[in-house]
Amino acid sequence: MAKEKGIHGVEDLPGIGPATADKLKEKGYDDIEKIAAASPYEIAELTGMSSEAAKKAVEAARQATTVDFTTGYDAYEKRKALGKINTGSEALDELLGGGVETSAITEAYGKFASGKTQLGFQLCVNVQLPVGKGGLDGSILFLDTEGTFRPERIESIAKAAGMDPKDALSRIYFVRALTTSQQILTIERADKLIRENNIKLIVVDSMMALFRSEFMGRGALGERQQKLNSHIHKLQMLADTYGLAVYITNQVMDNPAILFGDPTTPVGGNVIAHAATTRLYMRKSKEEKRIVRLVDSPNMPEGEAVIKITANGIKD
Ligand code: GTP
Ligand code: MG
């Protein structure tokens, strides 16, 4: 999108002074494109502006942004150029069409000890590798909601990849969230960190744990799904805006409606199911082996890969 008419920033919009602009930026509305995409009611509610004034500001933002159309061929070329992060296992990379995709959300779900967190750690190391060597020369935002981040484990995986473990750990920006509000705010306010530190991977481990414990019972489900929807939407926006990869882990439950076959189902309902571009179902096999099933992908066939969780990280 392009900007016109001398309107370059949020504060150039009619009726928006410096204080209001700050308020909006704090809530993640830090450029006119985001305002253009917002509803005037949202803006009025956030800023305390009258709904008339908010309508004018949003209208001005819409007029100042133009949509640039591209052809299908341009989109094809762009997709080919999208970065991928190697997983450490060639079989899994192949299953994924080259690795974990940028500008997309990849979800790994499965029972405890199935390897979801370990794969996240491996991606934290691999994304730091040079472009063309399996990485994106990028940094990481790691959002831990379960208290299972292990720097010592990252140290071993980084060493095995030939990196200085101290350098590798220094490129991981780590947040431990204890509430859904902290989880949501970390992502709402991530723009600056991402821009300034070349973040190419966001890990949310796990996506649902806090939402499940805070919103219990049927009565709270509607509110939970609404919050979750806006949270994952923001993650999607960051993935698109900055061309980064989002990797989320998810818990499972047994779906009583599935009478035959494996009843294991990821939690989070349609909100997560629709937002995740690629879904991986991980399960334990013998000893260090794990089976990863590609359940949902926009352009790769379903299939399975066997990986190993070794002392040096994820391998074939
Ligand atoms: P939950 O978070 O409990 O749902 O599980 P998860 O799917 O995140 O499991 P995680 O990725 O933590 O996998 C745990 C498993 O990884 C352990 O049971 C071990 O088999 C393996 N593992 C973890 N650390 C090491 C290690 O240092 N060396 C080796 N060889 N295996 C490890
Ligand atoms: Mg875990």
Side-chain angles (χ1 to χ4, degrees):
M1 285 200 259
K3 299 178 182 84
E4 285 171 3
K5 292 183 187 158
I7 293 182
H8 302 290
V10 176
E11 46 282 312
D12 301 328
L13 293 167
I16 296 189
T20 309
D22 283 347
K23 243 188 238 171
L24 285 166
K25 284 178 191 170
E26 200 176 293
K27 301 282 183 190
Y29 292 92
D30 50 3
D31 63 39
I32 56 165
E33 270 131 24
K34 289 179 191 156
I35 307 254
S39 89
Y41 304 102
E42 236 177 304
I43 300 298
E45 201 168 299
L46 282 175
T47 58
M49 291 166 85
S50 72
S51 57
E52 271 312 303
K55 260 186 212 164
K56 275 189 192 139
V58 170
E59 190 46 42
R62 286 181 186 165
Q63 290 197 1
T65 48
T66 55
V67 177
D68 302 326
F69 287 96
T70 57
T71 65
Y73 185 71
D74 290 336
Y76 171 75
E77 288 285 304
K78 204 174 151 196
R79 282 202 67 77
K80 267 204 323 196
L82 278 185
K84 302 262 169 84
I85 308 168
N86 282 4
T87 61
S89 150
E90 276 180 32
L92 182 52
D93 288 345
E94 201 171 305
L95 187 70
L96 289 166
V100 170
E101 212 178 357
T102 48
S103 301
I105 298 178
T106 300
E107 173 198 8
Y109 67 89
K111 297 199 171 101
F112 71 95
S114 57
K116 308 178 292 291
T117 296
Q118 295 300 316
L119 180 54
F121 290 166
Q122 186 71 54
L123 294 172
C124 284
V125 169
N126 287 7
V127 71
Q128 302 188 38
L129 292 167
V131 179
K133 296 258 159 79
L136 303 168
D137 194 14
S139 307
I140 303 94
L141 166 56
F142 197 107
L143 175 52
D144 178 9
T145 69
E146 297 190 322
T148 50
F149 183 70
R150 293 287 174 276
E152 317 83 281
R153 178 63 173 151
I154 302 227
E155 184 184 24
S156 325
I157 299 173
K159 262 192 203 155
M163 287 179 199
D164 176 347
K166 196 173 159 221
D167 288 348
L169 283 166
S170 305
R171 291 179 80 180
I172 302 175
Y173 296 83
F174 168 78
V175 178
R176 166 78 166 108
L178 297 169
T179 63
T180 56
S181 303
Q182 290 172 353
Q183 179 177 343
I184 291 166
L185 272 181
T186 302
I187 298 306
E188 291 293 327
R189 302 202 175 149
D191 284 88
K192 190 162 175 274
L193 181 87
I194 293 169
R195 277 198 296 263
E196 289 175 359
N197 299 286
N198 189 36
I199 304 277
K200 284 291 168 198
L201 170 69
I202 299 179
V203 176
V204 184
D205 184 19
S206 79
M207 187 70 185
M208 291 300 301
L210 297 171
F211 280 94
R212 282 180 103 189
S213 61
E214 267 176 51
F215 297 90
M216 300 242 282
R218 283 199 167 271
L221 200 58
E223 193 191 349
R224 183 190 91 175
Q225 291 308 87
Q226 218 169 17
K227 285 209 165 147
L228 193 60
N229 192 38
S230 108
H231 179 46
I232 202 154
H233 184 73
K234 176 74 191 190
L235 282 166
Q236 182 65 63
M237 204 163 91
L238 294 176
D240 286 338
T241 309
Y242 301 106
L244 52 80
V246 173
Y247 173 77
I248 65 175
T249 67
N250 198 4
Q251 302 163 315
V252 294
M253 58 175 187
D254 281 346
N255 183 347
I258 299 175
L259 298 179
F260 304 99
D262 187 349
T264 312
T265 308
V267 301
N270 283 336
V271 168
I272 301 281
H274 288 156
T277 322
T278 298
R279 309 193 96 181
L280 296 171
Y281 172 30
M282 300 183 71
R283 58 192 204 274
K284 265 189 97 153
S285 179
K286 278 193 188 115
E287 287 148 14
E288 56 188 359
K289 282 191 191 148
R290 298 291 185 280
I291 299 161
V292 187
R293 177 161 192 82
L294 182 66
V295 178
D296 201 357
S297 157
N299 46 22
M300 295 300 293
E302 280 203 15
E304 285 187 349
V306 179
I307 62 169
K308 279 183 191 160
I309 306 176
T310 74
N312 293 334
I314 306 275
K315 301 280 173 226
D316 273 307

